Amino acid sequence: EAAEGGWRQGWVEWEAKLARHAPLLGSLGDAVRIGIVRARAPDLLRDHLEVSAASYGADYASFRVVVDSYLRAHGGGLRQQTLPATPLELDIMTKGKGKGKGSAARGE
């Protein structure tokens, strides 16, 4: 059961790190943050986000509601997930300095 809520906890921690490091990283646009989270989401959540895209568009606050609602509806976890999701890491935005902001610059 601890693994079920692991992705959600990582997501919450990632958001907190973004907020703490905003002066160093600058502000990431909503579309960039959405792209990062979608790319790192477990398969079942990613599928849900794809079919729900019209409900959040490029607005991170709306996107966050969709993600949080999905996780709450599934008991905070993703029981049917077969492979572990890729953890959200803050360094995803700092790799490749001088060529944009890492994966964020590529729209991932």
Side-chain angles (χ1 to χ4, degrees):
E1 182 129 346
E4 292 176 0
W7 188 87
R8 185 181 196 285
Q9 183 63 34
W11 172 52
V12 170
E13 291 171 3
W14 178 77
E15 287 185 323
K17 286 178 185 177
L18 278 181
R20 275 196 313 274
H21 297 290
L24 297 173
L25 298 171
S27 177
L28 289 178
D30 284 2
V32 172
R33 290 190 293 164
I34 289 169
I36 291 169
V37 175
R38 280 184 59 169
R40 301 292 185 177
D43 293 338
L44 295 174
L45 174 56
R46 190 177 315 129
D47 291 346
H48 176 73
L49 293 172
E50 187 175 322
V51 299
S52 302
S55 68
Y56 58 81
D59 179 58
Y60 191 80
S62 297
F63 172 79
R64 192 177 200 295
V65 169
V66 171
V67 172
D68 196 49
S69 296
Y70 178 88
L71 294 175
R72 288 178 191 272
H74 292 84
L78 300 156
R79 289 183 248 288
Q80 299 169 6
Q81 186 67 36
T82 56
L83 297 174
T86 306
L88 288 164
E89 297 290 339
L90 190 58
D91 65 345
I92 191 171
M93 297 168 297
T94 59
K95 291 181 181 176
K97 276 193 169 180
K99 296 180 183 176
K101 292 188 177 179
S103 297
R106 293 190 298 271
E108 293 181 356

